[in-house]
Amino acid sequence: MDLIDTHQHLILRDHLGYAWTDTLPALQGDFTPADYARLSHGKGVIGTVFMETGVDDADYQAEARLIAGLVGKGGMLGQIASCRPELDAGFDDWLAECKILSVAGFRRLLHVVPDEMSQPEGFRRNIRKIGAAGYTYDMVFHARQLGLAEALARACPDQPLVLDHCGNPDVAGQGFDAWYRGMQAMAALPHVWLKFSGITVNCAPGTASVALLQPYADAMLALFGPERMIWGGDWPVVNLGVGLPDWIDMSRALLAGLSADEQALIGHQNARKVYRLPA
């Protein structure tokens, strides 16, 4: 199964601030394209899409400008840039600038801000602008917030949306049932895609395994189907779970029951379609 990694983070501390990593020993230091290339060598990764890395607020535009210089190198096909839809001031200008920054989509982290942020009409109006400009929007919520994700998606019916990290089920807390109910509602919305990524971080330390996660993978496949799922590595955050090489191996095992054509949809074909990536 060839893979386009639609969730490749980088941590480049000489240029940008990452305060959220301060209390996470596994994420100290830099995480560079060369590091990623070493870890993914021989693993079937045929391209990547950079995903904004939650840099400090003052740096989110600087991050996108920096990454634009890396697109086209080392297999990077584009980037998903950060944005601030809660602020009207400068939003349109940022969308316009991103046309020259190899941007394939946008994301605003919503699982680490007040739940109310995504609810005002002004926020949703700006999300709709993203779709009107031809971009996808990635959503990241905790499983307990899937009602918020559904409300946002229903308010933006023409905006292509990607729900990151399998909807962040509370695997460690045995939260399958509540997560499943929320995912049923999300899967009922045809403009929502699901990113098959990030789930091992939600397991209790040292417990992530194919056996533990197979029921979650099977549920996602039943709800969204291979036609609406996209693979992502979530490196280096995946280091809080099993690490990138092991997540690649685990992904293949979790999806082993699919046909080669179905695996290709999740592995790389849907990514090209959703993010409008170059061939």
Side-chain angles (χ1 to χ4, degrees):
M1 182 171 62
D2 287 341
L3 301 169
I4 290 178
D5 186 348
T6 63
H7 218 94
Q8 177 197 27
H9 298 300
L10 297 171
I11 294 180
L12 308 170
R13 296 185 191 277
D14 286 346
H15 304 279
L16 306 163
Y18 306 85
W20 66 273
T21 67
D22 289 348
T23 61
L24 299 171
L27 296 181
Q28 299 310 300
D30 281 1
F31 295 84
T32 70
D35 297 327
Y36 183 92
R38 175 177 52 81
L39 289 168
S40 61
H41 180 72
K43 290 292 187 179
V45 177
I46 60 173
T48 68
V49 178
F50 172 82
M51 170 60 76
E52 64 94 10
T53 311
V55 295
D56 299 348
D57 275 351
D59 289 343
Y60 81 89
Q61 293 182 336
E63 179 186 52
R65 293 166 184 148
L66 175 66
I67 296 301
L70 301 179
V71 175
K73 303 174 183 177
M76 188 182 291
L77 302 172
Q79 66 166 316
I80 298 166
S82 187
C83 63
R84 296 296 182 269
E86 69 273 21
L87 302 175
D88 283 333
F91 188 81
D92 293 347
D93 291 340
W94 183 231
L95 286 186
E97 180 179 347
C98 284
K99 290 180 180 179
I100 61 170
L101 297 180
S102 299
V103 168
F106 290 89
R107 187 173 78 161
R108 171 62 161 120
L109 291 172
L110 292 172
H111 65 312
V112 293
V113 298
D115 285 356
E116 296 77 19
M117 179 175 285
S118 65
Q119 298 180 36
E121 173 55 26
F123 185 98
R124 296 170 177 185
R125 182 176 60 249
N126 284 334
I127 295 298
R128 292 191 289 266
K129 288 180 180 180
I130 290 172
Y135 299 109
T136 300
Y137 179 74
D138 273 57
M139 304 185 294
V140 55
F141 289 96
H142 292 300
R144 66 168 181 83
Q145 300 172 307
L146 286 175
L148 299 174
E150 180 189 358
L152 178 60
R154 289 189 180 279
C156 304
D158 298 320
Q159 168 67 58
L161 299 168
V162 178
L163 180 62
D164 289 350
H165 303 331
C166 306
N168 274 314
D170 183 9
V171 182
Q174 299 182 340
F176 181 93
D177 290 344
W179 166 80
Y180 184 79
R181 289 192 295 271
M183 294 293 277
Q184 282 181 304
M186 296 302 294
L189 304 173
H191 61 300
V192 176
W193 299 69
L194 181 65
K195 187 165 290 187
F196 193 62
S197 64
I199 193 171
T200 66
V201 176
N202 297 326
C203 302
T207 66
S209 68
V210 172
L212 177 65
L213 295 177
Q214 193 70 62
Y216 291 89
D218 291 346
M220 287 182 268
L221 288 166
L223 290 172
F224 286 86
E227 299 80 10
R228 289 168 60 199
M229 292 173 60
I230 304 167
W231 188 80
D234 196 28
W235 179 83
V237 183
V238 71
N239 293 352
L240 303 175
V242 298
L244 181 63
D246 286 345
W247 170 236
I248 293 174
D249 293 344
M250 189 176 290
S251 296
R252 288 200 169 93
L254 290 167
L255 302 175
L258 300 179
S259 69
D261 287 345
E262 290 171 329
Q263 291 180 12
L265 286 172
I266 298 173
H268 63 96
Q269 291 177 2
N270 289 340
R272 292 193 187 277
K273 176 181 179 179
V274 172
Y275 295 115
R276 305 181 184 185
L277 301 176

